[in-house]
Amino acid sequence: MASNLTDRLSRLVKTMRGQARITESNVQDMLREVRMALLEADVALPVVRDFIARVKDKALGQEVVGSLNPGQVLVSVVHKELAATMGEGVADINLAAQPPAVILMAGLQGAGKTTTTAKLAKHLIEKRRKKVLTVSADVYRPAAIEQLKTVTRQAGAEWFESTPDQKPRDIALAALDYARRHYVDVLLVDTAGRLAIDEALMAEIKELHATLNPVETLFVVDAMQGQDAVNTAKAFKEALPLTGVILTKLDGDSRGGAALSVRQITGAPIKFAGVSEKIDGLEVFDAERHAGRVLG
Ligand code: GDP
C-alpha cells in the first residue's frame, strides 16, 4: 500500500529543511511524487501531465514560511489546484427553463444512469419541491424500463410508460407532450447505454438531444472506471453539449482520480456524486473534500 502524498513529500524534504523557496532544483523530485500519487489514483496520464505543469507554474517561487517545509507548501498548492480544477462552487441542477425542464442522462451501460435518474428525481422532489416525471428511452433492454419504473416509485416521482417496440425519439416526444399537459416541472430522460462506445448509440442520443432540447445533459460515469473514463468522456463530449457530470460509485475503494480526468476532458462541472446503491445515495459533489481523497 502506497503511503499518502504528504508522508512521501515529508520524507523527501527532510533533506531540504531550511530552504526558503520552491525552486527548479528542489521541485523536480517532489513533482515526481505528485505525479505518482495522481497515477495511483487513476488519473489519466495526459491529464496528469497538464496538471503537473500547472502546479509547477504555481509552485515555483512560492515562499516557504514559518514552520512549513517545501513539501508542505507543495502539497497545499497541489490540493488547491486539484480542488479548483474539479469544482467551481455549488453546481446544482439548472432548472431555468420553461417547464417542463428536460434533463437527459447519458453514459455507458452499468455506469449507474437508471439508479442516478431516480436519485436525482428524489433530490428534485425533496430539495427543490418539483413535480418530476421519469421516462426510459432504453428500448433494447425491457428490464431497464422496468428497473426505472421500480426506482422511480421508490423516489416518489411519476413514471411515464415506454415499450421496447417504440423508437426512442417517439418515446421522448410522447413523454414531453404528457409532461406539458400535466404541468410537470422536470422530465428526466434515462437513455440506453452500451458496454462500449458505439456509433449507433451516439447517433441515437444525439437525436434525442435534438428532439428534447434539454436544459441539462448529464454524463453519468463510474468512478471505478479509472483510466477508461477518459475515452468514454471524450466520446460523449464529442457527441453532446454536456452541462454536467455525475460521478457514481464513490463509495467504492477507488481514489476517484476519474473526477479530475473527466472534469478536464468534458469541461463540464461535476454536479453530484453517487455514494451508495440506495435511492438516497446522492451527494452534491464536494471538490475540496474529493481533492483530499485523490491525494490519498
Ligand atoms: P445503468 O446501466 O447506467 O442504468 O446503471 P444502473 O443504474 O443499472 O447501475 C448499475 C449498477 O451500479 C447497479 O447495481 C446499481 O445499484 C449500481 N450503482 C449505481 N450507482 C451506484 C453508486 O453510487 N454506488 C454503488 N455502490 N453502486 C451504484
Side-chain angles (χ1 to χ4, degrees), residues 108-115 119 141 147 248-249 251 274-277:
L108 287 184
Q109 185 176 319
K113 277 188 309 299
T114 305
T115 311
K119 287 176 174 176
R141 295 185 308 142
Q147 187 195 347
T248 63
K249 309 188 196 181
D251 49 317
V275 293
S276 92
E277 285 186 276

Side-chain angles (χ1 to χ4, degrees), residues 11-227:
R11 240 175 281 141
L12 198 65
V13 296
K14 285 218 170 83
T15 52
M16 318 179 195
R17 274 202 203 290
Q19 297 195 16
R21 226 168 251 289
I22 294 189
T23 61
E24 279 284 352
S25 69
N26 65 21
V27 82
Q28 286 306 343
D29 289 346
M30 293 198 287
L31 285 178
R32 198 169 307 126
E33 293 293 328
V34 174
R35 186 184 145 97
M36 288 297 296
L38 294 176
L39 288 173
E40 276 163 17
D42 257 343
V43 182
L45 187 57
V47 175
V48 172
R49 282 200 195 110
D50 278 10
F51 183 82
I52 295 283
R54 288 206 302 282
V55 165
K56 187 175 173 187
D57 264 4
K58 296 209 163 130
L60 280 181
Q62 287 258 345
E63 283 197 49
V64 179
V65 288
S67 57
L68 297 182
N69 64 43
Q72 287 163 325
V73 172
L74 190 69
V75 167
S76 147
V77 172
V78 170
H79 186 103
K80 271 197 209 129
E81 185 63 21
L82 260 182
T85 309
M86 293 188 299
E88 42 190 47
V90 181
D92 204 345
I93 293 297
N94 173 15
L95 297 175
Q98 177 86 4
V102 178
I103 301 179
L104 186 64
M105 308 294 285
L108 287 184
Q109 185 176 319
K113 277 188 309 299
T114 305
T115 311
T116 306
T117 303
K119 287 176 174 176
L120 205 50
K122 191 171 160 69
H123 170 87
L124 293 168
I125 292 168
E126 290 178 359
K127 301 275 161 45
R128 310 278 294 265
R129 305 272 160 227
K130 297 299 178 191
K131 177 172 156 127
V132 181
L133 178 71
T134 72
V135 66
S136 173
D138 188 348
V139 294
Y140 309 97
R141 295 185 308 142
I145 299 179
E146 279 305 306
Q147 187 195 347
L148 183 66
K149 180 180 178 180
T150 306
V151 288
T152 298
R153 291 252 159 89
Q154 289 170 8
E158 269 188 76
W159 173 76
F160 185 79
E161 183 161 12
S162 52
T163 52
D165 58 334
Q166 291 177 284
K167 292 204 174 77
R169 183 168 181 275
D170 295 339
I171 293 173
L173 288 172
L176 199 53
D177 179 58
Y178 176 94
R180 282 194 186 118
R181 286 189 289 109
H182 292 81
Y183 305 102
V184 165
D185 297 312
V186 187
L187 170 62
L188 287 166
V189 183
D190 191 11
T191 60
R194 304 268 203 276
L195 291 172
I197 305 293
D198 92 19
E199 255 175 56
L201 172 76
M202 290 302 166
E204 181 180 297
I205 199 157
K206 274 194 209 169
E207 186 189 33
L208 275 174
H209 186 275
T211 306
L212 288 162
N213 189 25
V215 64
E216 290 270 15
T217 301
L218 301 177
F219 172 52
V220 180
V221 60
D222 178 346
M224 309 283 279
Q225 247 209 338
Q227 303 274 342

